[in-house]
Amino acid sequence: MHEKIVGIMGAMPEEIIGVVKLLFNRQEVVIGRRTYFTGTINRIKTVVVFSRWGKVAAATTVSTLILTFNITQLIFTGVAGAINDALKIGDIVIAKRLVQHDMDARPLMAQFEIPLLGKIYVDCDEQAVNIAQQAVNDLLDNKQLHNIISSTELALFNITKPKFMMGDIASGDQFISNSNNKNAILKNLPAVLCVEMEGAAVAQVCFEYDIPFIIVRTISDAADEQSHINFPLFISTISSRYAIEIIKNIYGNAKFFLLF
Ligand code: SAH
């Protein structure tokens, strides 16, 4: 059987630092201005890398993971802006489908359709979504959450009982930080839960190469005029710690390694 090699990408360098520490027998390889950290986690070969920001950067990084490091499955974590009003800072979104909200080749094809693929949405593998759900559920289970983040730290961001939602994530080469842009996404793609800058590009590449993937995003902002406020503190205090726990939980689930 084909050897399992897991790729882990983080959309924030701070997330990567924590995950890299989980690697046993760690080595580094620099390719194209990215540092790929290789090693094992729970004896599974693993490659960890910072995606860099935006669709082109993230697509390039995941292509290298697939073609140079031969990964067989991918986990991608990061932060995102809430589009659905029910989502609060500190909540988590698990992607079921991804869409590029800035893809528009009209009148050649429908708005949002990916040229040549003939589809608007890239679907996540159902099994992979279930594994992500289990991992996030275990994290948000009060005991695990409070073990990694103190109540005082959670209170800094008014986080009391974070929840998760599963559904559509939209990606584009824009940091959404005003209500007009946010409402435009909501109007055209009403089912979208949150917005970020990489996920749909990574999903497209994984689809094309037949690599199962999990994409999990922590809500860092409401994609409005306050989006950038407290961003670095949120990453270091909340989302980077979520990412480590989610990855540990996924590695603890044997089903993840049966995906491919
Ligand atoms: N750390 C940088 C900001 C990076 S923001 C700084 O402090 O200047 C870019 C990252 O945040 C991307 O990974 C993107 O996917 C995500 N993101 C979070 N909120 C977003 C929003 N409202 N719109 C778009 N991307 C968002």
Side-chain angles (χ1 to χ4, degrees):
M1 209 170 69
H2 202 54
E3 188 186 18
K4 312 278 178 215
I5 306 177
V6 179
I8 301 179
M9 295 202 336
M12 285 293 156
E14 297 84 348
E15 286 182 11
I16 286 309
I17 293 168
V19 178
V20 164
K21 288 191 185 140
L22 302 176
L23 287 172
F24 185 70
N25 270 342
R26 190 172 75 219
Q27 303 204 321
E28 291 180 28
V29 187
V30 177
I31 304 171
R33 302 191 180 205
R34 290 139 172 85
T35 304
Y36 295 81
F37 298 91
T38 63
T40 58
I41 301 178
N42 291 3
R43 303 203 175 151
I44 307 289
K45 275 198 181 176
T46 302
V47 190
V48 185
V49 62
F50 165 41
S51 60
R52 294 167 80 98
W53 296 315
K55 292 190 298 175
V56 173
T60 305
T61 310
V62 72
S63 301
T64 305
L65 282 175
I66 296 168
L67 298 173
T68 304
F69 293 94
N70 300 315
I71 62 160
T72 51
Q73 48 243 95
L74 179 85
I75 307 169
F76 186 21
T77 63
V79 287
I83 295 291
N84 183 309
D85 266 353
L87 284 164
K88 305 290 169 229
I89 289 176
D91 289 347
I92 295 179
V93 174
I94 298 165
K96 276 185 144 176
R97 297 195 303 182
L98 294 108
V99 55
Q100 296 176 41
H101 68 75
D102 56 356
M103 176 62 80
D104 191 352
R106 286 177 297 175
L108 302 177
M109 49 198 78
Q111 190 177 11
F112 311 119
E113 183 176 324
I114 306 169
L116 305 182
L117 282 191
K119 52 164 82 209
I120 290 177
Y121 295 96
V122 176
D123 291 293
C124 303
D125 176 280
E126 207 182 306
Q127 272 282 96
V129 172
N130 291 341
I131 292 160
Q133 180 184 357
Q134 184 70 53
V136 170
N137 214 7
D138 288 348
L139 161 70
L140 297 183
D141 158 70
N142 267 325
K143 215 166 106 226
Q144 208 175 64
L145 179 70
H146 291 290
N147 279 344
I148 56 160
I149 309 174
S150 72
S151 310
T152 324
E153 288 169 320
L154 290 170
L156 288 175
F157 301 94
N158 292 323
I159 301 172
T160 47
K161 209 166 173 0
K163 62 179 176 304
F164 73 88
M165 291 176 82
M166 301 196 293
D168 293 358
I169 294 184
S171 315
D173 287 322
Q174 275 174 8
F175 187 78
I176 305 295
S177 57
N178 74 64
S179 310
N180 284 345
N181 292 351
K182 175 177 177 170
N183 290 334
I185 295 176
L186 198 54
K187 181 168 161 274
N188 288 324
L189 297 162
V192 162
L193 296 176
C194 68
V195 65
E196 37 86 313
M197 301 175 68
E198 301 85 14
V202 169
Q204 181 181 336
V205 176
C206 285
F207 170 77
E208 289 172 339
Y209 286 90
D210 223 358
I211 299 289
F213 58 92
I214 286 175
I215 298 183
V216 178
R217 292 277 176 170
T218 302
I219 300 301
S220 55
D221 59 88
D224 60 12
E225 287 69 11
Q226 271 90 50
S227 281
H228 57 288
I229 296 171
N230 283 339
F231 208 78
L233 186 64
F234 182 80
I235 308 293
S236 60
T237 319
I238 311 288
S239 69
S240 60
R241 297 195 199 157
Y242 276 15
I244 297 169
E245 278 328 279
I246 290 169
I247 284 160
K248 282 192 198 161
N249 290 345
I250 293 174
Y251 272 76
N253 185 342
K255 287 189 189 142
F256 181 60
F257 302 102
L258 299 175
L259 267 183
F260 201 76

